[in-house]
Amino acid sequence: MQAKPAAKLLKDYTPPSHQVAELALTFELAPHATLVSAKSTWLAVNNSRELTLQGVELELLEVKVNGVVHQDFTQTASELHLTSLPTQFTLDIQCRIDPAGNTSLEGLYQSGGAYCTQCEAEGFRKITYFLDRPDVLTQYTVTIIAPKEVPYLLSNGNKIDSGDLPDGRHFAKWHDPFNKPSYLFALVAGDFDVLEDTFVTQSGREVSLQLFVDKGNLGKAPHAMTSLKKAMAWDESRFKLEYDLDIYMIVAVDFFNMGAMENKGLNIFNSACVLANQETATDRDFHTIESIVGHEYFHNWTGNRITCRDWFQLSLKEGLTVFRDQEFSSDLGSRGLNRIDAVEAMRNHQFAEDAGPMAHPIRPEQVIEMNNFYTVTVYNKGAEVIRMLHTLLGEAGFQAGMQLYVSRHDGQAATCDDFVAAMADANDADLTQFKLWYSQFGTPRLVVDSVYDSTQQTLTLNIKQLPPKNNPEQAMLHIPVAIELLDDMGKSVPLSAQPNVSGKVLHVKAAEQSFTFTGVTSKPAVVMLEDFSAPVQVQFDSSLADKLHILRFARSDYARWEAMQQIYTVSVVQAINSGIKRLDAEIVAACGELLSKPVGDLALISELLTLPSFDTLIAQFETIPVEALCETLAAFEHQLACELKPLWLSCYAQLQEDGSLSAAAVGTRALKNTCLGYLAKVSDVQIDTWLKHALENPNMTLKLGALKAMVDATHSGLDDAMAAFDGAWRHDALVMDKWFALQAQRRDLAAITRVKGLYQHPRFDKGNPNRVRALVGSLARANPSVFHRADGSGYQLLGDLLVELNAINPQNASRMLTPFMSWRRFDSARGELIRAQLQRLAALSGLSDDLYEKVSKALEA
Ligand code: TRP
Ligand code: ZN
């Protein structure tokens, strides 16, 4: 390995040396030679005569101080160090940059024909030299000059001027009245179709809404626009937060590293998170778009008006904003289903991260490459921590805390401590122990046992708190454990009052605690950790009968699903231990009962009939038994398919939907697809007819459901169906991503060769993160039996790709590397094969900081 990049530490934080009063940027756009001039006004905070600015891959043309050419500076690959400065001065810096040559999708780059920017976290330094840190806030004025073939010239805030230039080019000038850090700067220039609308805020201001999409895509824009208006209305009603500018723009681009970016007044979105109609997008896509549009909008207060002091505080805006978008989705749709999604993200991804070499607290303490910390821990566990605060304080207390947080810190760059202090002060609450959630990594464990005393009519829960396995020294946390006790009639037993119990929540704070509930007239079934009230792992042995009782009677839909998941999980573990891969007759019967009366929330029924994923189940094993796990899941699915065949058939035949996006229609399609998924595993003429009809259905959810069913069943008609889909959709890259993802999930012998072959497909492009994730990401995350083939061919394929991506787009390379991080969880043969790929990367010349940080951590110790 080359010289080791240095880690930055949270404890080394120092305030900036200077304040910036204003920044005027002028861009003269040209694909390979864009001129950027930055004129700014500076004030030294402690009379400093020196200033160090960040800048990367910039060609520096000129530096002037107070209008005079300044020679007293030195340059490194990432910094400009200015000396002999006055304490107050204007600074003019001219640079040249190469947007067309920028494949990292960070800084100013080209997506298709359009110019766009991505500055979070530290991309502004690829545009000009600046104090590129989130606690330097200033007012931006931006002038964009371009040839007229580039008609739309956009930046943050309000357009204050525009016109033609004598040389035939044109310009637009934008002013953002709100102070902001550099990571929220945005520029877009290109030709688009525009969907326009308006929103009237609660105080009666009319906001102009503009959604920019590639020409020809207007028909796929309305859903995102509707979602935006719903988000604006919801934030007013639930959080009393109103939009603050007169214009809100969203631009959809095809080349983007993440989902979307909350730049002030000018959100930039991955087109996959904007564009949708019923022919091209699935019901899940519609849901994702609504939640991401909401997420970016909610950042306007939690992120933009109040930003982060430093990047270690990222969860201040991300955890909170994910919590807000989850609540938005839950208030507008099904709370239970949204909770299932959130918990699956935790169990499938966050638990693994928190137990692996990249484990970090939601507020990390050490960072080499900030892009590596946009993680499920910071985002999703961060949101769970906010959710626990909400559980502890209640909705009214939480909102009081929010109001205090906003009134104290509006316009500032704040810390996680500031947020918790506002929550504590507004509620007169002591959150000292709770705050440990911000500084301790790993998943805490609870071991619970229950003792029922029929003579005393008491139920005692003995709860032990164990620290995370990989962090044994950590202090005891304050864990809110929500429970429900169900009597034998399925009624909720009220919890008798006692210390450390409020409402349905037990406050677990010590290594061992007991809770005794009186007046419990019969032995209840205990719903433990109702609604996943804390991000912990629970060990609590309950009988199959109790779990089935919970499935029938729990007040929480989430709890019912969780009971079913536990039933399946216990069965999988037993099957692997005993070698007998069969589900209990009672469990099959419970599934049959769900199927025999498909009424109510059909989407929930569909979830109840779906086995836990490979990624969820691996938490049950010290060493992941790859083959046994894949075989057991396949055996259970086959058993359910065969033994319940008449019920799957009658259920499917009976399900009707109107093709709309109503919750009822969406739920019906979900259950139809689940039925078809099982049915495709047993051959039948009727089933083949249904598959054929679904493939021909114009609704993408149904079409894709059939194709996925055929992939999972290795159906004989699959090749033809895939070829037909390719023929029909080759013109639409976003639709083809679904096809790439399905190709990558096939399990036949040719699977690896097929994926490699698809690199040559005309729609494939290694420079486009959506394509790479669809194809190779699906192989690595959604096709365990092929990716983990014992011959290492899956690992080789990913390793080869990472070598290439390291040079093209380090941020995407680093995200794609994640499946390699848990190499120690596999048997030694597989572990060695993965380790060899990691070592190969470590030896790469020109290894990016992004990959260096993860590879070196993975190989450590
Ligand atoms: N702040 C963005 C969000 O949560 C995340 C994001 C978008 C991002 N693009 C990025 C983070 C590029 C790092 C790098 O919505
Ligand atoms: Zn965010």
Side-chain angles (χ1 to χ4, degrees), residues 106 118 120-121 256-262 295-296 299 317-318 371 374 379 811:
E106 187 183 58
Q118 172 55 42
E120 187 176 6
F256 202 73
N257 274 333
M258 307 274 280
M261 180 61 213
E262 70 265 23
H295 180 99
E296 306 312 329
H299 268 314
K317 74 176 176 82
E318 294 304 346
N371 285 334
Y374 288 75
Y379 275 64
Q811 195 180 336

Side-chain angles (χ1 to χ4, degrees), residues 662-702:
S662 69
V666 169
T668 305
R669 286 192 289 272
L671 187 53
K672 283 188 88 156
N673 282 346
T674 300
C675 290
L676 209 50
Y678 282 103
L679 285 169
K681 295 183 197 309
V682 293
S683 58
D684 191 305
V685 220
Q686 171 66 76
I687 297 162
D688 283 346
T689 312
W690 282 340
L691 283 169
K692 186 167 165 289
H693 282 158
L695 288 175
E696 286 161 3
N697 196 300
N699 181 287
M700 184 53 79
T701 304
L702 294 172

Side-chain angles (χ1 to χ4, degrees), residues 213-453:
V213 298
D214 275 355
K215 290 218 153 267
N217 277 334
L218 264 191
K220 297 182 183 178
H223 176 67
M225 181 63 87
T226 306
S227 302
L228 175 60
K229 290 192 285 181
K230 286 180 181 169
M232 295 177 88
W234 180 85
D235 215 13
E236 291 182 348
S237 70
R238 175 97 185 251
F239 278 78
K240 309 285 170 272
L241 295 171
E242 179 177 328
Y243 188 59
D244 52 12
L245 282 164
D246 297 331
I247 175 169
Y248 195 92
M249 296 175 280
I250 292 178
V251 185
V253 300
D254 290 330
F255 286 69
F256 202 73
N257 274 333
M258 307 274 280
M261 180 61 213
E262 70 265 23
N263 317 300
K264 184 77 186 188
L266 178 56
N267 288 181
I268 300 179
F269 271 60
N270 188 323
S271 55
C273 301
V274 173
L275 302 175
N277 64 38
Q278 292 271 63
E279 283 74 47
T280 62
T282 62
D283 295 336
R284 173 137 290 261
D285 295 330
F286 279 91
H287 180 268
T288 304
I289 289 167
E290 183 180 88
S291 92
I292 298 186
V293 169
H295 180 99
E296 306 312 329
Y297 175 73
F298 303 140
H299 268 314
N300 190 54
W301 278 98
T302 53
N304 299 2
R305 288 288 287 258
I306 304 172
T307 191
C308 301
R309 186 193 70 172
D310 54 73
W311 288 119
F312 301 102
Q313 317 294 328
L314 180 61
S315 201
L316 173 70
K317 74 176 176 82
E318 294 304 346
L320 178 54
T321 303
V322 170
F323 171 77
R324 277 153 52 69
D325 84 51
Q326 289 176 351
E327 285 300 295
F328 169 59
S329 297
S330 302
D331 284 349
L332 266 60
S334 154
R335 187 158 285 274
L337 289 169
N338 279 290
R339 198 64 194 129
I340 291 170
D341 279 352
V343 175
E344 285 191 319
M346 290 297 293
R347 289 206 182 122
N348 288 340
H349 307 294
Q350 201 280 326
F351 282 6
E353 181 169 272
D354 226 350
M358 268 293 283
H360 52 276
I362 63 167
R363 181 183 55 210
E365 277 151 21
Q366 267 200 41
V367 167
I368 292 177
E369 171 52 62
M370 190 53 213
N371 285 334
N372 282 336
F373 288 82
Y374 288 75
T375 58
V376 275
T377 298
V378 167
Y379 275 64
N380 300 68
K381 188 180 180 182
E384 294 302 323
V385 170
I386 302 293
R387 183 171 298 283
M388 287 190 284
L389 276 173
H390 186 272
T391 300
L392 294 175
L393 304 172
E395 169 70 5
F398 184 84
Q399 292 298 348
M402 279 299 302
Q403 292 299 318
L404 185 60
Y405 171 63
V406 168
S407 67
R408 274 186 188 169
H409 299 291
D410 187 12
Q412 296 177 6
T415 63
C416 297
D417 285 341
D418 292 331
F419 181 79
V420 178
M423 285 287 156
D425 293 350
N427 290 279
D428 214 356
D430 180 0
L431 297 172
T432 319
Q433 188 184 6
F434 183 81
K435 264 173 75 169
L436 293 170
W437 281 105
Y438 283 88
S439 56
Q440 299 191 157
F441 68 87
T443 308
R445 293 166 293 161
L446 297 178
V447 180
V448 186
D449 83 304
S450 71
V451 181
Y452 180 67
D453 183 331

